[in-house]
Amino acid sequence: MFRGPFLGGISLNEKKIELLAPAGDMERLEMALAYGADAVYLAGTTFGMRSFAGNFSPEELKTAVELCHGKGVRVHVTCNTMPRNEEAARLPEWLEYLDSLGVDAVILADMGVFSLAGKYAPHVERHISTQASVVNYQCARAWYDLGAKRVILARELSLDEIREIRAKTPKELELEAFAHGAMCVSYSGRCLLSNYMTGRDSNRGACAQPCRYQYALMEEKRPGEYFPIFEENGETYILNSRDMCMIDHVGELMEAGLNSLKLEGRAKSAYYAAIVTGAYRHAIDAAMAGEPLDPVWRDEVEHISHRHYSTGFYYGQPGQFTEDSRYIRDWQIVAKVLSCDGEGNALLTLNNKFSTGDTLELVGPDVRPVSFQVGELRDEEGNVLEQVRKPQMRFTLKLPQAAPPLSLLRRQVDLTP
């Protein structure tokens, strides 16, 4: 259990821990920055494990690095696929480009990529991806001896195992672990179901997540006749994993000796990037101050799309949720604040339609959620509107209080499929 604001005799408020947020594209990057990330991880258009995220072109990546560094935020670039021969031949040029941009770290799992990064990106830290499945202190030490600055621990470790790894590795070796997000039914990224069933390679960032499918049994001589496969209580999603949520245990993660808490979600929405980053920003700040987390920020992780939560493997087996594989979606973003004066008069851009009289909620960077009823809506020309309908249209609305840019308006609505 978390024992208060001390870590091995060192006050937690003296121990800096990094909040590492996902950035699938420029919009999600801007949200992560606005809502409190210390560092972001992202990818170019190749060599990253989330091929269906928006990702960054070389020109966009240059802009991203400049934007982040201007705010004192680190940039970690994923190069953690298992490249084939033709891809390996293109890596030196890509790594040299990352080095020239001043990228802070590359995340990698392949020994060949690790070696190339040391040669072609000598000014960039090398972080060992969770794809490498580091689960013991000997492996962590070996990577450090080869030149790694950080290892991203496998999701399958308990807190006690992490404490032992921390105690038995050089203090200069940084340890990073996931605190929130989706989990793999296999050791992360090692499953071949997707390859076999769909031709989409999990080790090349294209997993189709067949573990989320509903399965039945068909006998060879009775084609087309399906027999359900049951877990307990008639539940049929036999491979379906829960999502991880450790927001109630951030102090314990810090106490275990981690240097960085990672939030999964490069393929998720800008709304997700904002809300989950903001929630964990408050959780870390509260833990460092030795204070309990304000329940309003704890509740924020219930406002994003997620599967049923667990604490991962930190306290033992997480168990599976086998009734269905649906995401819980109870809230929808409807608009984003572009600017706002001290009286709450705001210019916004639209995501989803709403009308005068609707009940919405305002939330933003350090803005506690506040519910309000929509008053007068006007377009940019000042014309009064009963409803805003056109995606990305700009309009004005008086908010219940002043709010910084990138604050969000949302409404409660059941979008669970």
Side-chain angles (χ1 to χ4, degrees):
M1 294 293 293
F2 176 45
R3 295 185 290 274
F6 292 95
L7 172 67
I10 300 174
S11 171
L12 279 181
N13 59 22
E14 296 174 4
K15 176 181 171 55
K16 177 68 173 175
I17 190 165
E18 176 186 86
L19 175 60
L20 179 57
D25 59 17
M26 192 62 74
E27 183 185 12
R28 285 170 271 187
L29 172 66
E30 290 173 346
M31 288 297 188
L33 295 179
Y35 283 75
D38 297 310
V40 296
Y41 66 104
L42 47 81
T45 52
T46 54
F47 308 118
M49 281 295 292
R50 288 292 182 271
S51 61
F52 297 111
N55 297 322
F56 291 77
S57 69
E59 296 76 20
E60 289 172 329
L61 185 56
K62 181 177 186 296
T63 300
V65 172
E66 291 171 351
L67 178 62
C68 290
H69 286 178
K71 296 179 179 291
V73 172
R74 289 168 52 89
V75 179
H76 304 177
V77 176
T78 62
C79 297
N80 55 345
T81 58
M82 303 300 179
R84 301 297 174 87
N85 289 333
E86 68 277 7
E87 294 171 303
R90 293 188 279 112
L91 270 165
E93 181 180 7
W94 176 241
L95 292 166
E96 286 179 334
Y97 181 66
L98 298 183
D99 193 73
S100 72
L101 294 183
V103 163
D104 297 283
V106 288
I107 302 171
L108 44 86
D110 179 85
M111 179 59 76
V113 180
F114 181 87
S115 177
L116 289 171
K119 181 177 180 180
Y120 292 100
H123 305 99
V124 180
E125 294 177 4
R126 289 176 288 177
H127 294 183
I128 306 307
S129 172
T130 190
Q131 302 302 123
S133 299
V134 176
V135 295
N136 64 73
Y137 61 85
Q138 291 285 15
C139 183
R141 276 183 189 170
W143 280 115
Y144 174 75
D145 290 341
L146 290 170
K149 175 66 174 178
R150 178 183 295 187
V151 293
I152 304 165
L153 299 171
R155 288 178 175 88
E156 294 75 25
L157 290 172
S158 70
L159 268 177
D160 286 339
E161 289 173 309
I162 291 173
R163 291 188 185 103
E164 185 174 5
I165 290 172
R166 177 71 289 168
K168 294 181 178 179
T169 52
K171 68 180 188 308
E172 294 81 10
L173 175 65
E174 296 178 357
L175 301 181
E176 176 182 314
F178 282 91
H180 193 95
M183 294 192 296
C184 184
V185 71
S186 177
Y187 267 96
S188 298
R190 300 297 185 88
C191 177
L192 295 179
L193 271 178
S194 180
N195 305 50
Y196 177 75
M197 296 178 67
T198 71
R200 286 167 49 176
D201 192 338
S202 58
N203 272 313
R204 296 160 71 79
C207 184
Q209 295 189 330
C211 54
R212 309 292 190 181
Y213 299 173
Q214 183 175 11
Y215 288 93
L217 179 68
M218 186 175 68
E219 198 274 326
E220 180 181 8
K221 294 183 179 180
R222 287 184 276 185
E225 188 173 348
Y226 297 99
F227 301 90
I229 303 173
F230 294 125
E231 285 270 350
E232 296 177 6
N233 305 317
E235 300 158 346
T236 60
Y237 289 82
I238 58 175
L239 301 176
N240 187 42
S241 60
R242 299 173 185 262
D243 280 3
M244 179 194 296
C245 177
M246 285 292 287
I247 197 167
D248 296 316
H249 307 279
V250 165
E252 291 157 87
L253 293 172
M254 294 167 66
E255 190 183 36
L258 294 172
N259 300 94
S260 178
L261 300 187
K262 188 170 194 173
L263 308 175
E264 185 273 340
R266 278 195 295 122
K268 295 180 179 175
S269 68
Y271 171 65
Y272 173 97
I275 298 303
V276 74
T277 301
Y280 277 85
R281 175 76 276 153
H282 285 279
I284 289 174
D285 292 347
M288 291 181 70
E291 300 171 352
L293 177 61
D294 186 329
V296 73
W297 302 119
R298 166 59 180 86
D299 189 52
E300 281 299 280
V301 297
E302 303 296 340
H303 286 67
I304 55 177
S305 175
H306 65 280
R307 292 186 170 97
H308 291 266
Y309 283 136
S310 75
T311 52
F313 288 83
Y314 287 110
Y315 303 99
Q317 291 286 333
Q320 294 169 233
F321 186 79
T322 52
E323 292 181 18
D324 58 60
S325 63
R326 297 179 297 171
Y327 281 96
I328 299 168
R329 294 187 177 101
D330 295 331
W331 292 82
Q332 179 187 58
I333 179 175
V334 296
K336 180 170 62 179
V337 175
L338 298 176
S339 63
C340 183
D341 66 19
E343 303 298 319
N345 298 301
L347 175 67
L348 304 100
T349 182
L350 186 69
N351 290 72
N352 290 285
K353 67 181 180 180
F354 64 93
S355 304
T356 300
D358 287 353
T359 299
L360 302 181
E361 197 168 83
L362 168 69
V363 65
D366 289 323
V367 175
R368 295 171 66 87
V370 56
S371 180
F372 70 101
Q373 191 172 51
V374 176
E376 187 176 77
L377 294 164
R378 290 181 179 268
D379 63 21
E380 285 192 285
E381 286 72 44
N383 301 307
V384 176
L385 305 170
E386 287 298 315
Q387 185 181 67
V388 281
R389 301 178 55 89
K390 187 177 179 181
Q392 304 306 313
M393 72 173 289
R394 295 186 175 205
F395 63 96
T396 61
L397 170 66
K398 185 172 175 57
L399 303 177
Q401 65 183 67
L406 300 185
S407 293
L408 302 169
L409 301 187
R410 66 190 178 195
R411 65 180 167 197
Q412 190 165 15
V413 57
D414 186 6
L415 298 173
T416 302

